Every structure is written in structure tokens, then in C-alpha cells.
DNA sequence: ATAAAGGTTCGGCTAAGATCGAACTATGTA
DNA sequence: TACATAGTTCGATCTTAGCCGAACCTTTAT
């Protein structure tokens, strides 16, 4: 007797720190190998392998074999949307990740938060966008709107999120940074902006960490083009 | 060190059968007591009490005390949206609830599936709506659209989902019934339709089960008004 | 005042599952 | 061929958390 979709196994899969880390690492859309994902989740590759098999069996991720590598990615945009929705609820209920670690100056400056830019540069960018009224934050911080001039601004720079029409991912979302009350930009445009930084070669990700490393020239161009 | 919202505890809470049952029972928007929720999840009230405390602490539900009763409901529309999104992913990945139980004729005929109508009457309604092109199902079953004539039809009957503007709950969704390939209507309009049946006194829910019991007259009116 | 019903707290039992070491397969490289 | 690297499978360990019985608190009914 079947009666409706069963949300339990799906939620249970995401409700594990290691698997959630791997899934969110995949939110950038990039396909990653099992070893990379193991490092991302701070577990051994055996454990990762087991988790990935479960995620695959549940249809949350898909795998493509290439030589001796196996590249994993999210199965579809639905799954990314689900993760995004979860982040939204977690954000509003005040549940945040607490990561005990060295107060790395690089991490403070610029790092990846899921698939968008966080750290001082992320906050700086957010403040500037808000000041120029390219984005509009509701009074209760619940919603972030892209204004029409904001849309023009991004279009002019050819920064456009590539979303299927069916996607329900919000274009802009706020995401709270370490120091409470400092926001940075999440959502589809947040992801597109970080992608822009990578494709313009302003910055690159440091292997095995969340650090986003801007070159001297990249940082200057980032500021002149985006911060104003 | 804070770094982004933590989706793990939220997902883990939903990833338990008992808690998920209680949460989905609350999706109707109705506030329920701890004892009712315990029955819904087939657990003792002690266990339910523990679960409800956790859900409350996580901000997924809120409680209102009234005399010796404590009424629980979902904290906000975000949570309902999250559950709906989860249902969507579960639906597409083919994960369904398998409920071993008696092949109750009443259950087969009409029952609640989350917050909408399932069973033969649900399927019948869906087929009729589709035949009259009031709803439009995409070829791959992925999306269900309400047509403009469909909207007019529902408006004429004063069946309108009451959703806040911020809600991202889809107006119409398909939900698979026991016998595969038979759909019924889920989503905001699915919920509104069931609510309509209750408020018109066509049917009532049978305490402690998923059965929706239509009166003779109720069923006739249901057919003449909705099925055509 | 006594009883009954709605809820919560506590303690112990139990099962599920996350983890890793070790051994194994398969692909690519020197 | 030998060796290194990517990944999986198996078995054992150990922690987590769901569950219920029993006792308790609180509000309503008799």
C-alpha cells in the first residue's frame, strides 16, 4: 500500500554532518571526486564511499565514471533547491554552524560559504550593493530583493545566474557572517558572483579549504568593478 | 566561529518517522494536541512529548497552551514550504511510504494524504480536472499547471488557497496514489479543495485514521460541483 | 476532595548506524 | 613489471537516540 511520498529517508540522509557537508560542497554545481568529498567532510574515504553510495541510491546525487575517477554531482536542481530551502529555515531558526578552528586571516578575508562569497570581502560587497540600492533588505531581514537598477547592474557585467525556469531558488538571499549583524549575499546571484570572480581569474579556491584567494590584481579589479 | 546556517539538525529532526508524521499532520495548518499527534505517529505520549520538545526547541513548531491542552502547529510557512519541497524530491526519487495495513475499503475510497484528498475520489477528481483542461500535466509528470480556465473555475467556487505572498508553495502538484500512474492533486489548491469539502460539510475526518468520510449527500454534491 | 485526563520527566533497554582499520579491485604511471 | 592512486567491501567497535514503563505535575470534571 503506497500513500504519498516518504520524506523520512531523504531528510535522514541530509541530517548527518558528513553527508550534509558533501552535499553542500556539491551545491556549486561542480562535480567532485570521492576523495575530495571525503576531505570536505573530514572523514576517511571508506566512510565517504559508504555515504556516497547511500546518497546515490536515494537519487540525491549521480555519478559519472571517468578513468579511475568517479565524479559525483547533485542529481538535479530539485535537490539544490531543497538544500537552499533548508538553509533558509536553518538561518531563520538561528541554527548556525559552529566550526572550532584557527582564526585564519585568509579565511576571515574571503572564503566560500556553500556556493557564494563570505568573509570581509563578501560583507564589503554586500554593504556596497545595499548602499547603492542595488539590493533591498526588508526590515525584518527576512527577504532580500534585487532592485531593477540592481538587475541592470548585473546584466551590464554579464553576471546572470543560470537557473532553469522551474527553479525556485531565490535570486538573492542574505546569509549571516561570523560577526552577527553582518550579512553577505547568498542565493542565485550570490553564486553567480563568486563564479564571476573565478572565471575572471580574480581569485581561486585553495585546495582542501574554504579559502578564496584573490590575487593583488584580482582584488583591485573586484573592488573597481563591483564595490565602486 | 560561525559559518553559515547549519542544515544538519533541521534535517535530522525531519528524518525520523515519528517526527515526520507529526509534522506532516500539522501541514493542514490545524493546531493539534500532543495526544492527537502521538496517535498520528503511533507512539506513546511520553515519546511524542519528547519529540515535540525537540521540534519546538529547533523552532520548527510553536505551542499555545489553553487550559490543560497544548496546541502545536508549524512555526511558519517556511517550514511548510520545506516539507512540501521535501515531498517533491521524495516523489521524484521514487521514495514512497509503504504502509502495511488492512485494505480498508473506506481508506481506498477517500483519505487524507498529508493535507489533501487521496483515494478513488481524489483520483477521480484529478482525472476530471485534467480532462476539462483545468489543470495541465507536463509530459514528464514533473510539473502541474493550473490553467486560466482552471483558476476561473476555482474562483467561481470560492476555492482559493490562502497563502502569504512570500510562500513558495506550488499551487498545484501531483501526488502518486497507491496504484502507480494514478495521480491526485496536491499543492496549495489540493489543500484548499479538501478544506472546501470539510467546510461545506460534505465530509469529515474520522478520528485517529486517515479516512475521509463523505456523507451520501456530500458525495453527490462533491460530484455535481467538482467532477462535472 | 477525589478522580480523571493531558503532558512531562526520568531511567534503562535496545537498535541503528557512523566510523575506521584492513584487505581488496581497478586504473593509470614509471 | 612494479608501484602508486582512486575507490569499494567487510568486520568490529562504539556512540547516539528512539522507545516505553513508571512516577510525577497540572488542570478540569464530579
Amino acid at each position: 500500500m503506497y500513500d504519498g511520498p516518504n520524506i523520512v529517508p531523504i531528510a535522514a540522509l541530509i541530517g548527518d554532518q558528513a553527508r550534509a557537508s558533501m552535499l553542500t560542497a556539491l551545491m556549486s554545481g561542480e562535480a567532485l571526486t570521492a576523495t575530495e568529498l571525503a576531505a570536505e567532510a573530514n572523514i576517511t574515504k571508506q566512510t565517504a564511499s559508504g555515504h556516497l553510495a547511500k546518497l546515490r541510491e536515494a537519487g540525491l546525487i549521480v555519478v559519472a565514471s571517468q578513468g579511475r575517477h568517479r565524479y559525483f554531482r547533485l542529481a538535479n536542481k530539485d535537490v539544490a533547491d531543497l538544500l537552499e530551502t533548508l538553509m533558509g529555515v536553518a538561518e531563520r531558526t538561528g541554527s548556525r554552524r559552529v566550526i572550532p578552528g584557527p582564526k585564519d586571516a585568509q579565511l576571515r578575508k574571503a572564503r566560500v560559504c556553500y556556493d557564494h562569497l563570505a568573509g570581509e570581502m563578501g560583507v564589503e560587497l554586500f554593504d556596497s550593493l545595499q548602499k547603492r540600492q542595488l539590493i533591498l533588505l526588508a526590515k525584518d531581514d527576512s527577504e532580500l530583493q534585487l532592485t531593477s537598477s540592481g538587475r541592470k547592474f548585473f546584466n551590464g557585467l554579464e553576471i546572470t545566474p543560470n537557473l532553469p525556469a522551474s527553479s525556485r531558488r531565490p535570486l538573492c538571499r542574505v546569509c549571516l557572517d561570523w560577526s552577527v549583524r553582518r550579512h553577505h549575499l547568498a542565493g542565485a546571484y550570490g553564486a553567480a558572483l563568486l563564479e564571476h570572480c573565478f572565471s575572471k581569474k580574480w581569485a581561486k579556491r585553495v585546495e582542501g579549504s574554504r579559502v578564496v584567494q584573490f590575487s593583488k590584481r584580482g582584488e583591485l579589479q573586484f573592488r573597481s568593478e563591483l564595490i565602486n
Side-chain angles (χ1 to χ4, degrees), chain A:
Chain A
M1 167 174 167
Y2 295 105
D3 188 10
N6 187 4
I7 63 176
V8 173
I10 309 282
L13 281 172
I14 305 176
D16 170 83
Q17 184 59 59
R19 285 191 295 256
S21 297
M22 294 194 279
L23 287 171
T24 49
L26 291 171
M27 266 193 76
S28 65
E30 206 182 347
L32 299 173
T33 66
T35 309
E36 288 170 323
L37 288 167
E40 195 75 35
N42 283 315
I43 51 178
T44 60
K45 55 193 162 89
Q46 313 91 286
T47 307
S49 178
H51 284 314
L52 290 168
K54 285 179 192 168
L55 291 171
R56 201 164 86 80
E57 194 177 2
L60 296 184
I61 61 175
V62 290
V63 62
S65 291
Q66 255 174 48
R68 65 175 162 179
H69 292 279
R70 305 193 71 197
Y71 289 95
F72 295 89
R73 59 185 170 79
L74 297 186
N76 52 54
K77 213 54 181 144
D78 271 13
V79 178
D81 281 349
L82 172 57
L83 294 171
E84 186 98 16
T85 307
L86 259 170
M87 282 174 61
V89 172
E91 175 77 37
R92 299 229 208 158
T93 57
S95 178
R96 300 216 180 76
R97 277 195 291 184
V98 179
I99 303 175
K103 294 192 174 59
D104 188 332
Q106 283 195 305
L107 269 176
R108 265 206 311 277
K109 173 138 191 176
R111 67 180 183 283
V112 172
C113 173
Y114 294 97
D115 60 355
H116 51 264
L117 183 67
E120 286 158 14
M121 291 183 68
V123 170
E124 203 177 336
L125 174 60
F126 184 90
D127 289 348
S128 166
L129 293 173
Q130 194 176 14
K131 197 168 171 187
R132 285 180 285 163
Q133 308 207 329
L134 302 179
I135 53 177
L136 216 65
L137 184 60
K139 244 189 269 173
D140 63 349
D141 288 9
S142 68
E143 215 164 336
L144 186 65
Q145 286 217 329
L146 185 66
T147 64
S148 57
S149 52
R151 191 178 293 270
K152 274 180 213 150
F153 175 73
F154 285 125
N155 281 346
L157 297 173
E158 294 185 347
I159 297 177
T160 48
N162 59 334
L163 294 175
S166 66
S167 169
R168 287 187 289 158
R169 180 175 195 188
L171 292 176
C172 289
R173 272 193 51 246
V174 290
C175 192
L176 231 51
D177 228 287
W178 299 349
S179 53
V180 186
R181 300 205 172 259
R182 301 304 300 267
H183 293 109
H184 58 255
L185 184 67
Y189 270 98
L193 257 165
L194 180 58
E195 188 49 42
H196 185 72
C197 294
F198 290 146
S199 70
K200 285 273 185 180
K201 306 265 199 265
W202 295 345
K204 60 176 196 285
R205 259 196 89 164
V206 174
E207 195 101 21
S209 91
R210 299 187 173 280
V211 171
V212 174
Q213 196 160 47
F214 278 81
S215 68
K216 281 255 165 64
R217 226 178 112 235
E219 187 171 341
L220 283 173
Q221 295 191 294
F222 173 87
R223 282 182 208 287
S224 74
E225 183 170 313
L226 297 175
I227 304 272
N228 193 20

